[in-house]
Amino acid sequence: MNAPAPAPVPAPAGTPVALEAPAGPRPYSHYVYAYPHKTAYRRLDPRPALRDLWAGEPKDALSLYLHIPFCEVRCGFCNLFTRIGAPEGLAGAYLDAMDRQASAVREALGDGPVRFATAAFGGGTPTFLTAAELERLCDIAERRTGVDLRAVPLSVEASPATATADRLAVLAERGATRLSLGVQSFVDSEARAAVRPQRRADVEAALGRIRDARIPVLNIDLIYGIDGQTERTWRESLDAALAWNPEEIYLYPLYVRPLTGLGRLGADADAAWDRQRLALYRLGRDHLRERGYEQRSMRMFRRADAPATGEEDYACQTDGMIGLGCGARSYTRALHYSFDYAVDMREIRAIVDDWTTRPAEDFGYAEYGREIDADEARRRHLLQSVLQADGMDEADYRARFGAGPEEHFPGELARFAARGWLDGAAPAGLLRLSEEGLAHSDALGPELFSPAVRAAMAAYDLK
C-alpha cells in the first residue's frame, strides 16, 4: 500500500514528543516500493510484443501478481489505482478480461518450462470480490498461467469490511499463506481523520475471522502521522495490533498525495510534522522490538518466531514479474511495463472500462513502460537491497555489475556516510544502513533515482 497524509500535525498539548531536528534532507520524500515509479513510464510506440520481450528472459522463478482495482471506499490518503465499487456486472467483466489477458501472457512466455516462485493478489482490495469471484480469480491464475497456488507463497490484501468468513475460507483452501489487513488505526477518530470510515469493533471482528481461517501469516498495516494522533493513541493502536500476535506488522508514515481525498483538503507537510512522524516511527520501532519483532525494513517488522511461508529462492531484484490486471505492472530485465495509470477517480473509471472491453490480441503487447538500461538496473538493485535491514552483499553486486557500488555511486554513498546513514560496524563486504539510515529510507531512496527518471516523474501529466 501507499501511505500519504493530512495537515501539519504539531505535538498535542500535554503529550511530549521528541522534536529533535531531523538531519539532512526531509525524512519523508518518496516511498520507494518500486523503481522506476509508474510516473516515469510513457506510452510505448510502437507497442512491443510480449513474446519478443520475454524471449530471452529467465522463467524459472517468476513472480505472479493479480490486481483487483475495486474498493468499497477510497481512503483519504490513497493514491493507488483503484475505484470505488463496481457497477452491476463490472467485476465479472473485469475477470473475463483478466482471463483473456492471462491466456495471452502465457502464450507470450513460449513453449518452454515456466515456474512461478511466488504469487500475490493486490489492489485495490482483492477481497472486494465475492467468494465465488475469488474462486474464479484463483482458477484464472492456475489454469491460465500454470502456477500451483498451494505450492508457492500466496499473499492477499484485504480490508476489515471485506474479510468475511466465506471469502477467507476460499483463500485458505486455495493456498493463501499470508493475509495483509489494512487497519491503519484502531482509534475510531483517527480512522475518520484519514477518511477511512471504520469502527474498531468491526476491525477486531475481522481479525478474529482471519485467525479462525488459519492462514499462516497475518500482517497488520498501521499508519503514523494522522491528524490528532499522539504518542498515547499510537501506542494504543500498536498494542491493539499486538494483542492478535500477528506474524508481521507494517508501520507506514502518512503522506499527502495530489488528487487524493486528503490532498484535495489542501493538507501539507512541514518540519513540525516531519519531526512528529520521526518520533512516532521511533516509538513504534522500539515498541515492536521490545515485544519480539525483528525489523526487516523501515516499514516491515516480523515476529521472531513467525513460521516460514514457502521457498526462499525468490529475489525481487532479478527475477521477472508477471502482472495481470488493469493496474498491474510487469518486469523484464530490459523493460518495466503496464497499462495506463491514474489517480483521479474519473480517469481510473475510464481506464478500467476501456481495459475490460479489450480483445485478447490487445493483451499480447506492452502499452506503457520504461526501458531499464545498465545504470537503472544497478540503481534498482541497490535500492531494493540496501533499504532492507540485512543490507547488500557487495560481492554479489560486483559479480552482477562488474564493479562495486562505491565505484558506481561514490557521491551518493559518501553523502549517506556523512549523514550517519551507513552502518560503520557492518561486517566487511556488507553495505548496510544504520538505524538512522533505515529511519530515513524515504529520503535516501529518492537520492538514488537517476536524473532521467527524476525528469520523467517531474514531467508526468498528473491525472
Side-chain angles (χ1 to χ4, degrees), residues 364-434:
Y365 298 87
E367 293 199 356
Y368 289 78
R370 187 162 193 88
E371 292 183 0
I372 305 298
D373 61 17
D375 177 60
E376 298 293 13
R378 292 191 293 265
R379 292 177 185 276
R380 181 168 185 259
H381 182 92
L382 181 59
L383 274 167
Q384 294 195 341
S385 300
V386 79
L387 293 182
Q388 304 302 309
D390 287 343
M392 187 186 75
D393 184 334
E394 295 187 49
D396 177 62
Y397 180 96
R398 187 177 294 274
R400 292 173 188 270
F401 302 113
E406 71 284 349
E407 297 169 76
H408 291 143
F409 304 101
E412 292 91 336
L413 293 179
R415 287 198 303 274
F416 300 159
R419 294 171 187 156
W421 289 357
L422 300 183
D423 182 1
L430 182 66
L431 182 63
R432 188 169 67 191
L433 298 184
S434 65

Side-chain angles (χ1 to χ4, degrees), residues 48-57 108:
L50 299 190
R51 179 174 288 275
D52 295 335
L53 291 177
W54 285 97
E57 293 294 306

Side-chain angles (χ1 to χ4, degrees), residues 235-263:
R235 193 178 287 106
E236 180 181 339
S237 279
L238 291 166
D239 287 337
L242 287 166
W244 291 96
N245 202 28
E247 284 71 25
E248 296 175 2
I249 298 179
Y250 273 68
L251 306 183
Y252 289 92
L254 197 57
Y255 277 92
V256 165
R257 299 298 193 198
L259 303 184
T260 64
L262 292 174

Side-chain angles (χ1 to χ4, degrees), residues 81-285:
F81 185 90
T82 182
R83 58 163 293 164
I84 300 172
E88 182 68 28
L90 181 58
Y94 185 87
L95 291 174
D96 289 344
M98 183 179 281
D99 198 338
R100 297 193 296 274
Q101 183 193 19
S103 295
V105 169
R106 181 61 186 87
E107 182 179 352
L109 292 177
D111 298 329
V114 173
R115 172 182 171 267
F116 289 94
T118 186
F121 300 162
T125 308
T127 50
F128 177 90
L129 299 178
T130 65
E133 289 166 342
L134 284 171
E135 287 276 17
R136 187 176 179 207
L137 183 70
C138 294
D139 286 344
I140 290 170
E142 294 198 326
R143 296 174 185 174
R144 301 307 185 204
T145 72
V147 65
D148 182 352
L149 294 178
R150 295 179 181 86
V152 302
L154 170 60
S155 178
V156 183
E157 297 173 2
S159 67
T162 61
T164 58
D166 58 339
R167 293 175 170 102
L168 294 169
V170 169
L171 295 174
E173 195 278 327
R174 297 301 294 260
T177 54
R178 179 179 182 271
L179 196 292
S180 181
L181 192 70
V183 174
Q184 322 317 351
S185 177
F186 283 87
V187 179
D188 290 352
S189 61
E190 292 178 4
R192 290 192 298 271
V195 196
R196 184 182 178 86
Q198 65 184 25
R199 297 184 308 145
R200 176 170 176 172
D202 296 330
V203 173
E204 301 277 4
L207 286 164
R209 293 191 295 270
I210 293 167
R211 282 312 198 192
D212 288 344
R214 299 188 181 280
I215 294 172
V217 172
L218 164 64
N219 171 68
I220 296 177
D221 287 344
L222 297 176
I223 286 180
Y224 54 92
I226 300 171
D227 192 13
Q229 191 174 53
T230 67
E231 285 190 336
R232 179 187 59 79
T233 62
W234 178 227
R235 193 178 287 106
E236 180 181 339
S237 279
L238 291 166
D239 287 337
L242 287 166
W244 291 96
N245 202 28
E247 284 71 25
E248 296 175 2
I249 298 179
Y250 273 68
L251 306 183
Y252 289 92
L254 197 57
Y255 277 92
V256 165
R257 299 298 193 198
L259 303 184
T260 64
L262 292 174
R264 290 191 179 90
L265 296 177
D268 196 5
D270 64 4
W273 188 39
D274 285 345
R275 291 192 295 268
Q276 191 227 17
R277 283 183 289 179
L278 268 178
L280 294 176
Y281 159 78
R282 290 169 177 145
L283 186 157
R285 174 197 65 195

